[in-house]
Amino acid sequence: MIETSIDSIPNIFQDLRASFNAGKTKSLAWRKKQLEQLFKMCDEQKEVFASAAYADFHRPTAETLLFDCGVIRNECIHVLNHIDEWARDESRSDSLAYATMDKYIHPEPFGICLIIGAWNYPFLLTLSPLVGAIAAGNCVVLKPSELAPNSAAITATMVERYLDPSCIRVVLGAVDQTQTLLKGDINHIFYTGSTSVGKLIMKAAAEKMVPVILECGGKSPVYIADDANIAVTAKRIAWGKTINCGQTCVAPDYILCSKTTESRLIPEIVKAWQSFYTDNPSNSDSYCHIVNDRHFERVKRLIDSTKVVYGGQTDAKQNFIEPTIMTNVNGNDKVMQEEIFGPILPIVTVNNENEAIEFINARPKPLALYVFTSNNNLAKTIINSTSSGSTCVNDVIFQIAPPCLPFGGVGESGIGNYHGKNSFDAFSHSRSVAYSPTWAERLIAKRNPPYTKKKTAS
Ligand code: NAD
């Protein structure tokens, strides 16, 4: 793996600070140019990116083209269409008491932002936050995950080729590099990854008193009511569970449904998987593999063969795990103790929505929660009785696509959010500005000592 030398990191910060202090990134023309270049990079180099992710974890080309490059390009277009409006000072007014002051919010960049990415969507999770950081006028250090080394290396090469290296840099490496960056001259941290490392990032942020956004994970439940359209439900869950081999932060982690629904659901999910990947997914170029040996062993250990009703085959040589369904699962099973992050679908049976709500609320707040039902009132009851980063009714994962909706966690699944305008806000300080006119001195005279009864009377 190519690594950035620790010794070179202080110089990177020196260069970025000089550019920021010179006001380079504050210019709207500079921001737009960088966003256009980022769009161009994700268009011209999409096949190169896809090859790197394929080399890293047998990731299907289409998944990189659609879910990384395509999404980043759309994000660039959306931001370019709105940046003039978002970057403008926003006038504010309130009570008559302060009517003499001219008041507005001036969005200002933080300075140098550190973006730490996870490996599972290796381009999206560094470059999508980058869109927001550029739009808001920041300098940026990107730290892609070392677990997808080919993707990380090509990110470094292309960012240097397409974007302004005096303001945007990539540092390659693992814990040592990240820890050095966290002690560096940073003004903001945007982190994507596990909750356990997220807590370390937050401690480091506290030491420097810099704001932090944490995009973490967790077990995202799916509740399926008996009135759900089972054929559509099964196909959508089958898709969400196995794209990227289940290594998606908002993947449906486990199902809660009645015994009757379970028996209708399983054959439909199997049918969907076979239509996606054939009977032999280990030969399918549309089926992704597990990222490395350590994660392969971890996911494999979650499979209890006595509870498998479909799948369960593994092949250590290619880090392959077959799409797998487990039944008779309860909260004490190993597969229910941690985020699965793999293609295993456990089904926990419940008698009704109240039992499902109780089960969900007894666990940490998830990044996503999914409800399948044809009754919108039931969906609302579940939404109002639980908490999650986001929710999609009658689908999975899709709620994170529209740029008008913020994406982020709550509780252990994360702090803060981004996408669209929320990305601009995530990387901006909302600076309050008020102009107090000198002609109004008489109107505010009662604030001055000596304090008399008359002055405090009303
Ligand atoms: P990870 O926590 O192992 O690593 C994330 C990043 O942190 C990497 O860049 C890594 O180099 C760095 N890192 C690791 N250990 C560190 C340490 N001790 N000190 C400083 N930096 C360190 O996460 P991962 O395995 O790459 O990703 C999987 C997790 O990320 C899952 O829980 C998943 O749900 C979550 N995730 C969340 C989102 C989201 O948007 N909410 C997206 C993708 C993944």
Side-chain angles (χ1 to χ4, degrees), residues 117 119-120 143 146 178-179 191-194 215-217 249 339:
W119 53 268
N120 55 326
K143 214 300 285 172
E146 70 282 10
T178 315
Q179 289 293 347
Y191 162 84
T192 303
S194 62
E215 297 285 343
C216 301
C249 57
E339 180 182 359

Side-chain angles (χ1 to χ4, degrees), residues 32-49 69-70 72-77 80 127 131 134 158-159 161-163:
K32 289 178 187 172
K33 177 74 187 162
Q34 298 308 305
L35 291 170
E36 284 159 11
Q37 284 294 108
L38 186 51
F39 177 95
K40 201 169 162 204
M41 174 176 114
C42 291
D43 192 33
E44 291 178 352
Q45 303 300 336
K46 55 185 183 292
E47 301 286 345
V48 177
F49 286 155
C69 299
I72 301 162
R73 287 201 310 271
N74 286 343
E75 186 93 10
C76 289
I77 293 169
L80 280 164
L127 301 180
V131 172
I134 291 172
M158 293 305 169
V159 164
R161 186 181 302 172
Y162 281 83
L163 303 181

Side-chain angles (χ1 to χ4, degrees), residues 406-458:
F407 171 57
V410 58
E412 292 214 357
S413 57
I415 294 175
N417 54 54
Y418 70 129
H419 286 190
K421 170 71 160 65
N422 292 76
S423 285
F424 182 87
D425 293 342
F427 287 97
S428 299
H429 164 57
S430 295
R431 183 174 182 177
S432 294
V433 180
Y435 286 78
S436 185
T438 51
W439 57 259
E441 186 58 19
R442 228 165 55 81
L443 297 175
I444 58 173
K446 75 174 183 181
R447 74 183 185 182
N448 296 326
Y451 304 120
T452 59
K453 278 225 163 69
K454 195 174 160 206
K455 282 180 176 173
T456 55
S458 58

Side-chain angles (χ1 to χ4, degrees), residues 112-126:
I112 301 176
C113 299
L114 170 60
I115 296 175
I116 304 170
W119 53 268
N120 55 326
Y121 286 68
F123 308 107
L124 183 72
L125 298 175
T126 46

Side-chain angles (χ1 to χ4, degrees), residues 3 40 53 58 84-85 99 111 113 118 147 196 212 230 241 248 262 291 295 303 311 320 370 400 415 435 444-445:
E3 289 194 348
K40 201 169 162 204
H58 195 274
D84 288 321
E85 163 204 339
C113 299
L147 299 194
S196 54
V212 65
I230 292 299
K241 188 66 189 182
T248 301
E262 180 190 75
V291 68
H295 278 287
I303 302 175
F320 164 82
Y370 302 112
I400 74 169
I415 294 175
Y435 286 78
I444 58 173

